[in-house]
Amino acid sequence: MKRKKASNIKASKLRPEVPAAARQTAKDDSEITALALQRGKLSPAMEAYFAKCQEKLGFVPNVLKAYAFDNAKLEAFVGLYNDLMLAPSGLSKLEREMIAVAVSSVNRCYYCLVAHGTAVRALSGDPALGELMVMNYRAARLSKRQRAMLDFATKLTAEPWAIEEDDREGLRKAGFGERDIWDIAAVAGFYNMSNRVASATDMRPNSVYHGQAR
């Protein structure tokens, strides 16, 4: 009897065994949440925002579609997101995305880990950093500033009652100003809220995220 070459055996083990139609992400772009909420009437501003996302990203993030049942809630979510994540801050866009992923890792939020893990990969140009943020940021080779920031954000997530002046002082020693400390707390707080809503509704990330910035 002929023996298979080792290389052939390895290759056969790596072949996908699940048909494309049955893959885990197959319905993520059509069944966005577990709630039967119909899209409401959007304001001209939100219609324009969706069109801008489609133009710049090539898709509308599913989190926006999930909020689209209520225009007021959508506008509030978009306004807060844009202020915290895109407005001028002592924190870079990458640092804010790192906080989003570290917080979401504590909360095990599937949507935010996928979507913001992608953002970390893209902004850093380092695919491995995005994976490290998802799995365990403590294993990443971070600067003292970044490590202090993420330690604070994850402690605020897991044990908010345990935050004391020593924690704030640790951020100051790492080079953060008073406004920066506010921004770290605000970003961490926003994603704790978002994580809980996403988990409660089984919100699914756009399938395109999985292959981006690899």
Side-chain angles (χ1 to χ4, degrees), residues 32-64:
I32 296 170
T33 74
L35 303 181
L37 296 170
Q38 300 301 311
R39 177 168 168 169
K41 182 174 174 55
L42 300 186
S43 66
M46 288 298 98
E47 290 285 8
Y49 190 73
F50 275 37
K52 186 175 181 181
C53 288
Q54 188 66 49
E55 177 190 346
K56 290 188 172 292
L57 303 176
F59 62 94
V60 177
N62 282 351
V63 65
L64 301 181

Side-chain angles (χ1 to χ4, degrees), residues 24-176:
Q24 289 294 314
T25 61
K27 297 181 180 180
D28 284 0
D29 297 312
S30 56
E31 298 177 8
I32 296 170
T33 74
L35 303 181
L37 296 170
Q38 300 301 311
R39 177 168 168 169
K41 182 174 174 55
L42 300 186
S43 66
M46 288 298 98
E47 290 285 8
Y49 190 73
F50 275 37
K52 186 175 181 181
C53 288
Q54 188 66 49
E55 177 190 346
K56 290 188 172 292
L57 303 176
F59 62 94
V60 177
N62 282 351
V63 65
L64 301 181
K65 292 181 180 179
Y67 272 87
F69 73 94
D70 186 313
N71 189 75
K73 287 179 172 53
L74 175 63
E75 287 189 332
F77 178 86
V78 168
L80 189 53
Y81 171 86
N82 287 342
D83 178 66
L84 292 174
M85 301 301 287
L86 303 177
S89 170
L91 309 179
S92 70
K93 290 181 181 178
L94 173 58
E95 287 173 332
R96 285 176 270 184
E97 291 291 352
M98 290 170 72
I99 292 172
V101 181
V103 166
S104 300
S105 182
V106 174
N107 291 326
R108 301 183 186 184
C109 176
Y110 173 57
Y111 185 100
C112 291
L113 287 173
V114 173
H116 296 283
T118 299
V120 170
R121 294 196 302 269
L123 289 169
S124 67
D126 184 354
L129 179 60
E131 302 307 307
L132 282 163
M133 289 296 100
V134 168
M135 296 175 191
N136 179 9
Y137 74 87
R138 297 171 185 84
R141 294 184 176 93
L142 302 175
S143 67
K144 289 183 178 178
R145 169 189 168 94
Q146 293 168 336
R147 179 59 191 263
M149 173 187 76
L150 297 179
D151 284 347
F152 185 91
T154 53
K155 182 175 180 179
L156 184 62
T157 298
E159 300 178 293
W161 61 86
I163 296 290
E164 297 183 311
E165 184 58 27
D166 285 349
D167 299 293
R168 290 181 286 274
E169 189 57 30
L171 290 176
R172 295 184 186 105
K173 288 178 180 177
F176 292 103

